[in-house]
């Protein structure tokens, strides 16, 4: 997060230097320490060209801590172009409540007593591997926007699928740090209006407990995170598997793990969409099962009872995301280590579909805005 500390905080820390309680000074020391760790981009504009104020503050908190607060000055030319691109940023001040910028999160240390802005932004996803993959997307965004030297810093917290809403509720009520939530939309076709159960529950929690320091995003142009994987990457590891022909089609709402199934075609809108994507398939069994049943459960049971072929097009397995993110398996092995280099250094816009480009831009921009930081530096 880009965090800008206003002069009133500096003045208060200096004015109360002899006091037992000095909230501003305590905050500045913490911000200085975690700024050196790169948790956020901390900017203190009033210190950049004011030697007298630097010396006065240095006498209170130490010159080393002041240098840590001033470190964003090394990147000043970048920050001038960075700040306008952000979807959000934080201002630390006692008196900026009336600031006319919808992007700004105003942190007043005397009001948000439990909040700790110096901690890394918490990224909540349904699965830890989602966060690993989103980190690739964020780095891709930084490279695309030419923000070299800016790093993405977050603490990944897996929500556990359907229990993700409980994790989000806890973070909002605790109000301890910046929090970004990214989840699958779980839509089965482009025209489906409602999202999946997990996303619905999270949206309800966000609406029930509005919070300026917590942002959520639900994917709209694809079904889930696996649909964001560039086809080039999938082909690299799945070239010997059956089913690679599906990559020549629109797989935005294709179940990349399981594949296209008869049970997944119960809804008419999903069937219309997928039958256009795969017109060569025979859908007689689907229509027969649909005609003889009145709900999804009965439809599924009909398929099982009549021993109908469920998988119409194969997927790429439940380990797809683990393989793509080069995560170790249960035996500590990485199956395709070369994928990491391709993901980090070779993937470009031409490797993405129109839908993927839109989602990569949105997710990359969100992570860049909520989790931008600087390289760690020792002072």
């Amino acid at each position: 997060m880009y965090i800008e500390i206003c002069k009133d905080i500096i003045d208060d820390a200096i004015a109360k230097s002899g006091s037992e309680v000095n909230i501003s000074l305590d905050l500045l020391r913490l911000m200085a320490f975690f700024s050196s760790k790169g948790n956020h981009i901390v900017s203190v504009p009033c210190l950049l060209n004011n030697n007298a104020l630097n010396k006065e503050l240095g006498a209170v908190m130490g010159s080393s801590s002041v240098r840590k607060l001033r470190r964003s000055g090394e990147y000043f030319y970048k920050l001038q172009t960075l700040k306008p691109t952000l979807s959000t940023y934080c201002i630390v001040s006692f008196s900026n409540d009336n600031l006319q910028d919808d992007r700004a999160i105003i942190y007043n240390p005397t009001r948000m007593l439990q909040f700790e802005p110096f901690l890394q932004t918490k990224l909540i996803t349904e699965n830890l591997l989602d966060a690993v993959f989103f980190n690739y997307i964020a780095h891709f965004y930084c490279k695309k926007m030419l923000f070299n030297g800016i790093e993405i810093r977050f603490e990944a917290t897996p929500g556990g699928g359907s229990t993700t809403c409980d994790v989000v509720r806890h973070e909002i009520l605790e109000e301890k740090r910046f929090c970004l939530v990214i989840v699958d939309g779980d839509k089965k076709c482009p025209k489906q209006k409602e999202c999946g159960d997990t996303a619905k529950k999270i949206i309800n929690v966000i609406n029930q407990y509005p919070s300026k320091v917590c942002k959520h995003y639900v994917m709209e142009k694809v079904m889930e995170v696996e649909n964001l994987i560039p086809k080039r990457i999938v082909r690299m590891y799945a070239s010997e598997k059956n089913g690679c022909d599906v990559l020549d089609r629109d797989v935005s709402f294709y179940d990349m793990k399981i594949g296209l199934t008869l049970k997944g075609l119960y809804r008419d809108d999903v069937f219309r969409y997928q039958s256009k994507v795969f017109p060569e398939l025979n859908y007689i069994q689907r229509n027969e099962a649909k005609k003889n049943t009145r709900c999804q459960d009965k439809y599924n049971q009909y398929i099982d009872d009549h021993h109908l072929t469920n998988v119409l097009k194969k997927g790429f397995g439940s380990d797809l995301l683990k393989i793509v993110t080069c995560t170790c398996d249960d035996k500590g092995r990485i199956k395709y280590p070369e994928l990491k280099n391709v993901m980090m250094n070779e993937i470009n816009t031409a490797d993405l579909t129109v839908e993927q480009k839109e989602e990569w831009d949105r997710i990359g921009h969100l992570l860049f805005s909520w989790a931008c930081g600087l390289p760690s530096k020792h002072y």
Side-chain angles (χ1 to χ4, degrees), residues 202-271:
I202 289 172
I203 291 170
N204 289 338
V205 168
I206 296 289
N207 291 337
Q208 187 178 0
Y209 306 102
S211 172
K212 189 82 172 178
V213 297
C214 183
K215 172 75 175 177
H216 78 286
Y217 178 68
V218 178
M219 289 175 236
E220 298 177 355
K221 299 295 181 179
V222 298
M223 184 171 75
E224 56 189 356
V225 63
E226 282 81 4
N227 300 95
L228 294 176
I229 302 171
K231 293 179 181 181
R232 174 184 172 186
I233 294 293
V234 180
R235 282 194 175 97
M236 282 182 66
Y237 101 90
S239 58
E240 298 178 359
K241 290 178 176 284
N242 294 325
C244 275
D245 61 306
V246 303
L247 298 176
D248 297 325
R249 319 292 180 92
D250 176 13
V251 292
S252 301
F253 297 91
Y254 184 80
D255 192 323
M256 298 291 286
K257 293 173 289 187
I258 299 173
L260 182 67
T261 64
L262 202 59
K263 291 181 179 179
L265 297 177
Y266 175 77
R267 289 176 54 125
D268 290 334
D269 55 349
V270 177
F271 172 68

Side-chain angles (χ1 to χ4, degrees), residues 11-195:
D11 292 339
D12 187 66
I14 295 171
K16 296 177 180 176
S17 60
S19 303
E20 237 179 84
V21 178
N22 193 334
I23 295 175
S24 296
L25 183 58
D26 292 342
L27 175 64
L28 289 174
R29 282 174 172 155
L30 287 166
M31 293 298 290
F33 175 76
F34 285 102
S35 172
S36 69
K37 300 298 181 185
N39 281 14
H40 301 285
I41 298 175
V42 178
S43 175
V44 192
C46 65
L47 294 179
L48 292 182
N49 296 300
N50 192 329
N51 291 332
L53 188 61
N54 274 270
K55 289 180 180 179
E56 199 172 357
L57 183 61
V60 173
M61 64 182 294
S63 57
S64 176
S65 292
V66 173
R67 286 197 300 274
K68 292 173 185 176
L69 285 177
R70 286 171 47 92
R71 71 172 303 213
S72 65
E74 302 168 18
Y75 301 83
F76 184 69
Y77 72 99
K78 292 181 181 177
L79 300 187
Q80 285 181 306
T81 57
L82 179 148
K83 186 177 175 182
T85 69
L86 299 172
S87 63
T88 191
Y89 64 94
C90 177
I91 290 182
V92 183
S93 174
F94 296 120
S95 59
N96 265 313
D97 294 334
N98 297 319
L99 180 72
Q100 298 300 310
D101 190 342
D102 293 336
R103 299 179 303 151
I105 298 172
I106 308 299
Y107 168 56
N108 186 329
T110 61
R111 295 181 185 176
M112 300 171 67
L113 300 180
Q114 304 301 317
F115 192 64
E116 299 178 350
F118 40 83
L119 297 178
Q120 283 187 356
T121 295
K122 180 163 283 192
L123 174 63
I124 300 177
T125 57
E126 296 177 61
N127 186 293
L128 189 59
L129 293 177
D130 295 8
V132 177
F133 185 75
F134 293 149
N135 194 41
Y136 286 141
I137 292 179
H139 283 283
F140 175 87
Y141 182 85
C142 288
K143 187 167 64 173
K144 174 184 172 183
M145 299 298 292
L146 303 179
F147 286 127
N148 301 319
I150 304 299
E151 298 194 359
I152 302 300
R153 305 276 190 166
F154 58 77
E155 180 183 312
T157 301
S162 60
T163 61
T164 306
C165 65
D166 298 325
V167 178
V168 173
R169 182 186 296 109
H170 171 77
E171 287 298 325
I172 292 176
L173 294 178
E174 190 178 42
E175 201 179 44
K176 189 173 183 178
R177 62 170 76 187
F178 300 114
C179 180
L180 177 61
V181 186
I182 305 177
V183 293
D184 301 334
D186 287 326
K187 293 181 179 181
K188 309 300 182 185
C189 64
K191 293 185 178 180
Q192 182 179 332
K193 293 182 179 179
E194 72 276 11
C195 48

Side-chain angles (χ1 to χ4, degrees), residues 294-342:
R294 294 185 177 181
C295 67
Q296 178 80 61
D297 290 341
K298 295 292 185 183
Y299 173 82
N300 291 350
Q301 190 63 48
Y302 183 94
I303 292 171
D304 292 337
D305 291 345
H306 290 77
H307 306 290
L308 303 181
T309 302
N310 184 40
V311 179
L312 306 178
K313 284 283 185 180
K314 291 183 179 180
F316 300 96
S318 59
D319 286 343
L320 175 60
L321 197 59
K322 179 181 286 188
I323 291 170
V324 168
T325 54
C326 297
T327 304
C328 295
D329 61 17
D330 296 337
K331 296 182 179 179
R333 299 172 302 187
I334 297 176
K335 291 186 178 180
Y336 298 88
E338 67 274 13
L339 292 180
K340 183 173 183 179
N341 178 60
V342 177

